[in-house]
Structures are given as structure tokens and as C-alpha cells.
Amino acid sequence: KVDADGNLVTEQKEIVYATFRPITIFDISQTEGKPLGRVCIAPAIFNINEPILFGTPIVFNPILMMPMWICTTVNATIVWIVMRTGLLAIPTIELAMVATIPAPFSTVMFTGDMRGVIWWAVCLAVDLLIWYPFFKTYEKQEVEKEAAEALAKA
């Protein structure tokens, strides 16, 4: 097309590409744009994880539910083996409010053994390794869903 002055008229069209952003533990909902991770970090420190479980949603998503179950079983097995072999003291007291005390502190309070912090860190590292491939799969699905939605809007 040419305008009245003889210049070419170009049509501008905005094209949106789905981009890759590495998912982090504190920004689980990166593709939906919700600041879920930042909002949930303070309650999660005190083992109040329902905002993450239902907000992500982990509960209704088999890809994210599986590592939650696997981690629970693996952590219990690690702790059982560590306590049976004497690498961590077996608790001799009962504490009613351990669930809301941050994990490294509650571990020491419950077992009375400072080595509990080391084993908590080991379990955390194992959990991160278990969760990583599931997060990557979830992220890939979300990026593909965004790309499809962007393509449908274009």
C-alpha cells in the first residue's frame, strides 16, 4: 500500500512469544503471574503450607502431587534409618506444638540432638532433587499452555 505522499504504508502487528523463565521454588506460579511464592514463604517457614498446596495447585495436579508423596516417604525412611543406626537421637519426649516451629529448630527440640539440623538439611537437599524434574515438567506444560493461549489470541 502507498499513502498520499507515495510512502509505503506498513502494518504493525504485535506478536507475543512464550519465553522461558527458570522456575524457582519461591516463584512456583511464574507463568500465571501471581506472586504466590512471595506470599507463601512466611507461612511456609512455620509449616503452614496450605496456600502453596491449594494455590499452585499441588493438591489437584498429579504432576506436583507425586513428589509430595515421594518426599514424605523418602524423608520418613531417611529419618528412620538415621535414628535406627544411632546417627540421630530417638525422641524421648513428646512436644505438642512441634508442627508450627520452623523445621531446623523443631528437629533439635524434638530429638534433643544438634545433629538433627544436619539431617534436616540432608532431607531438604534430597527433596529438592526429587521435586526438580516435576517442577520442570509442570513449567514446560504451563509455558506450552501460555504459548497456545497467545497463539489463539493472535
Side-chain angles (χ1 to χ4, degrees):
K1 296 180 183 180
V2 180
D3 65 4
D5 297 329
N7 297 324
L8 287 175
V9 177
T10 58
E11 184 177 316
Q12 292 186 357
K13 191 177 227 182
E14 183 179 341
I15 300 173
V16 179
Y17 294 101
T19 58
F20 172 76
R21 282 190 352 207
I23 193 165
T24 63
I25 291 172
F26 301 114
D27 190 16
I28 293 172
S29 62
Q30 60 99 13
T31 56
E32 297 174 10
K34 292 184 271 179
L36 185 65
R38 284 182 232 106
V39 170
C40 295
I41 189 66
I45 290 171
F46 297 97
N47 296 325
I48 301 169
N49 299 309
E50 284 79 3
I52 293 173
L53 292 175
F54 294 103
T56 307
I58 291 174
V59 172
F60 298 114
N61 187 336
I63 292 172
L64 296 179
M65 194 182 316
M66 288 301 296
M68 184 176 71
W69 292 342
I70 294 167
C71 287
T72 302
T73 305
V74 169
N75 287 347
T77 304
I78 290 171
V79 170
W80 182 81
I81 291 169
V82 166
M83 286 183 174
R84 292 290 285 178
T85 58
L87 296 172
L88 183 61
I90 296 175
T92 57
I93 61 171
E94 183 178 330
L95 294 174
M97 292 302 294
V98 169
T100 56
I101 299 171
F105 304 115
S106 65
T107 303
V108 173
M109 289 173 61
F110 192 56
T111 63
D113 190 348
M114 288 301 291
R115 294 177 294 180
V117 175
I118 295 167
W119 290 109
W120 170 82
V122 168
C123 286
L124 178 64
V126 169
D127 290 352
L128 292 174
L129 290 173
I130 292 169
W131 273 94
Y132 184 76
F134 291 94
F135 272 129
K136 296 306 288 179
T137 302
Y138 178 68
E139 179 188 38
K140 182 180 176 189
Q141 285 182 347
E142 290 298 308
V143 168
E144 288 172 357
K145 186 168 78 174
E146 271 187 0
E149 288 173 3
L151 191 60
K153 287 180 182 179

